[in-house]
Amino acid sequence: MYYSLDEIMSKKDLDGREPSIFFITTNRSAGKTTAVLKYMLEDFKNTGAQAVLIYRHNYETSAASMIFEDVLKLYPDLGTEMISKSYSKGLFYQLFLDGEPFGYSLSLNNPDAMKKYSPLFAEVENALFDEFQTENGKYLDKEPEKLQSLYLTIGRGGGSQSRDIKLFMLSNSVSIMNPYFIQFGIYKRIKSNTHFIRGNGWIAELGFNESASEAIQNSAIYRAFNGNQSNYMSYSVENRYLYDSEIFISSPSGKSKYLFTIVHGSEKYGVREYYEEGLIYVSRKPDPSFPRILTFKPGDHNQNTIMLNHNSEPWKYLREAFQSGFLRFDDVKAKNVIFEILAVDIYK
């Protein structure tokens, strides 16, 4: 059974109102992209609502029409051919379904250049940003802010100061530390059994499609790679993130050396190095007698702390330990605090 939008679109946001942003993450091949494209095609056929496809880079926008090929074959009653035409010397593309203006494909890397074209988007009601999580961890500088700028440009179309556009954010389950989960605080709220998370104006669905998992496991390519204990193949068929942070919560043993204390908000956290296991351990049990107390937030800085930033050696030390898989925490709160500190510039 393929993914359906019915459940997420029937829910209200944290304020009891209609959400505008829909985060949808699942395992691979679950059918979420097909479901959103079908919704856009149906909305266009029934109401004339146009759509926008959002990409990171300008060179991707020219291929937007290709994403509809399989959907139109599955649902020929919704249309037969989608084509794209360059607009403003390739700055963006306009999409046409069977000759009728259907929408546009835009990129995030130059949102300022799009502001003067906002009147073109007067009929746009739906937007899709597919693969908002990247498997290589590379994002645009200040990417969430660029998306916000582009969203506001689209919403000003037709003379309105701001219209609510449905924005579908889709991806495979890659990392809870992606810039969008950080921006919206989603990474702090994810637990192993979380299915839906509601926020102010948004809702997130963390799903798993069993039939898609079974289909991949029955394929020859899965059997070939998984025989070599491929972590990537395991993530494709299991209900977990490719970079699953739950494994970082443990209790090391053996001899250790106390390195420093971190102050964050009203809490203090102790950082120790365990020699035998080669681990860096962050716990909520700091050594009150240790003089080296660090902070990364101006609001936490006082006469007893040392104020640091992401160029400091302790920050780099923690980040390298995390990236190398040597960082451990005694509980979720300690993990979330350090992730918040590291997330300041971790995707730049």
Side-chain angles (χ1 to χ4, degrees), residues 63 132 214 266 271 276 343:
F132 75 87
E214 291 176 356
S266 60
V271 181
E276 296 176 4

Side-chain angles (χ1 to χ4, degrees), residues 229-293:
Q229 298 180 338
S230 167
N231 185 52
Y232 186 86
M233 277 297 179
S234 296
Y235 127 83
S236 299
V237 300
E238 296 176 9
N239 188 14
R240 68 180 181 90
Y241 284 79
L242 178 58
Y243 306 113
D244 194 339
S245 65
E246 289 186 3
I247 62 173
F248 298 130
I249 298 176
S250 64
S251 298
S253 59
K255 296 182 179 180
S256 67
K257 175 184 178 182
Y258 198 88
L259 300 178
F260 47 82
T261 298
I262 294 177
V263 174
H264 189 84
S266 60
E267 301 282 347
K268 291 183 179 180
Y269 301 86
V271 181
R272 295 174 172 83
E273 179 182 2
Y274 280 79
Y275 304 115
E276 296 176 4
E277 299 182 55
L279 299 176
I280 306 303
Y281 183 58
V282 182
S283 76
R284 296 174 64 190
K285 298 177 181 178
D287 182 348
S289 66
F290 202 80
R292 194 180 186 197
I293 304 175

Side-chain angles (χ1 to χ4, degrees), residues 7-174:
E7 189 172 8
I8 190 172
M9 297 195 69
S10 69
K11 295 184 178 298
K12 304 295 185 182
D13 69 6
L14 198 59
D15 303 310
R17 300 168 62 180
E18 296 290 335
S20 292
I21 303 177
F22 301 85
F23 292 98
I24 304 171
T25 68
T26 68
N27 52 317
R28 295 193 61 150
S29 304
K32 51 191 176 293
T33 303
T34 298
V36 173
L37 295 177
K38 180 175 178 284
Y39 173 85
M40 289 177 163
L41 290 166
E42 290 175 337
D43 205 15
F44 176 72
K45 181 178 180 180
N46 296 330
T47 70
Q50 294 189 13
V52 161
L53 273 67
I54 299 173
Y55 296 88
R56 278 190 176 81
H57 305 283
N58 186 257
Y59 63 80
E60 299 174 284
T61 57
S62 61
S65 59
M66 297 174 59
I67 197 174
F68 287 94
E69 290 183 358
D70 288 342
V71 183
L72 292 175
K73 289 178 181 177
L74 288 171
Y75 307 101
D77 59 313
L78 298 178
T80 57
E81 183 184 35
M82 185 75 73
I83 64 171
S84 61
K85 293 184 179 179
S86 175
Y87 214 107
S88 188
K89 298 182 180 179
L91 178 63
F92 60 99
Y93 284 77
Q94 186 170 16
L95 302 173
F96 296 86
L97 177 62
D98 297 335
E100 296 294 324
F102 174 81
Y104 302 87
S105 61
L106 316 175
S107 65
L108 287 175
N109 59 341
N110 191 7
D112 288 343
M114 296 303 307
K115 292 179 179 178
K116 62 183 177 182
Y117 295 99
S118 60
L120 293 176
F121 310 126
E123 305 301 322
V124 171
E125 299 291 339
N126 303 300
L128 166 63
F129 183 14
D130 206 358
E131 306 298 343
F132 75 87
Q133 295 185 54
T134 68
E135 294 182 356
N136 61 12
K138 295 181 180 179
Y139 295 84
L140 301 177
D141 183 32
K142 297 182 179 179
E143 184 171 304
E145 288 85 348
K146 286 181 168 63
L147 179 62
Q148 181 181 358
S149 176
L150 194 62
Y151 183 94
L152 292 174
T153 294
I154 297 169
R156 284 200 302 268
S160 173
Q161 288 184 317
S162 180
R163 292 182 297 118
D164 287 332
I165 309 297
K166 286 186 176 66
L167 172 59
F168 297 93
M169 304 276 289
L170 312 182
S171 79
N172 299 325
S173 303
V174 179

